[in-house]
Amino acid sequence: MRPTVHDIAAEAGVSLATVDRVMNARPGVREKTRLKVEQAIDKLGYVRDVAAANLAKGRTYPFTFILPCNENAFMADLRDAVLQANARGRVERTQISIVDVPAFDAEALAEALLAAGEGNPAGIAVVAIEADPVREAVRQLTGRGIPVVTLVSDLEDSNRDHYAGVDNPAAGRTAATLLGRFVSPQKGTIGVLAGSLSVRDHQNRFSGFCEIMAAHFPELTILPPMEGRDDSALARKLVSEAVEAHPDMIGLYSLGAGNRGLIAALEEARARGRELVTIAHELSDHSREALEAGLFDVVLNQDAGHEVRSAIRVLKAKADGLEVIAAQERIRIDIFIKDNLP
């Protein structure tokens, strides 16, 4: 049987109130008495249930979420999920603040991380950018005991505590398998549209995509990736120019979530008699309409709400010194075609 505070009080020969003051570092206890209580704790092997103690004390967890500010529909959904979580703060005992940073700006993100750390939050969740300044900021935060969870886009080879997001290499491999089978037995080129290859999720999706294409569909040539930077006008221009420059382009993989410009370019291509097999990411109003119109063939989706809830659970566990339940935090990849839309 696990020892209790009653056992500690009996072993040390003090009251329960004294044990409580010692365990919570409150004043009013003589040094000799404090030492007796600490010795009793060591002797009995008492392990404190930090989560239960925090619940009993009504602790509130202040968390900071650092999110990119752009026109990406998925990031808007992610922000909404954070706001919804904050609205449940009284029940969840959380208080969440959102910090906006320019998309794909590593220096601005690193500065925002360090600035957030000055407020000494119970934890920070961040959509990461693959850059040394960001990695160094995370190292400083975790070195100060502030848990950091990367959200959607990971920061590998860093000191972050956890990643809340899908398996992005697997997402890329899935996209390649689907696209390759859909265009078979045709031969031709495949376009790739990214938001930015400075973020790990886009890097990993592209890597997984290329792996399967090279292994199973060598008759298809992958064109150099276009970077639309989640700017719909830029994405539209890049895709339209690629379609015109490559008459043999028969497929396209959009591995980011900025789909509005892509959809406009595909509509223009269709008007000129060109149809491309297209695999995209994230189910939004725009991508749903593109599926229904036959402009997109498949949309791979991740649940923004699940990712935010996972990040909060992990940050609370880290703040309480508890183990993270890996199976509970696994984020699945949903595959949607126009016939199974929710």
Side-chain angles (χ1 to χ4, degrees), residues 194-215:
S196 171
L197 291 177
S198 68
V199 289
R200 179 64 78 165
D201 58 330
H202 291 195
Q203 292 176 19
N204 285 347
R205 289 174 190 174
F206 184 54
S207 176
F209 184 78
C210 292
E211 174 192 339
I212 295 301
M213 280 291 174

Side-chain angles (χ1 to χ4, degrees), residues 131 298 334:
V298 177
D334 294 318

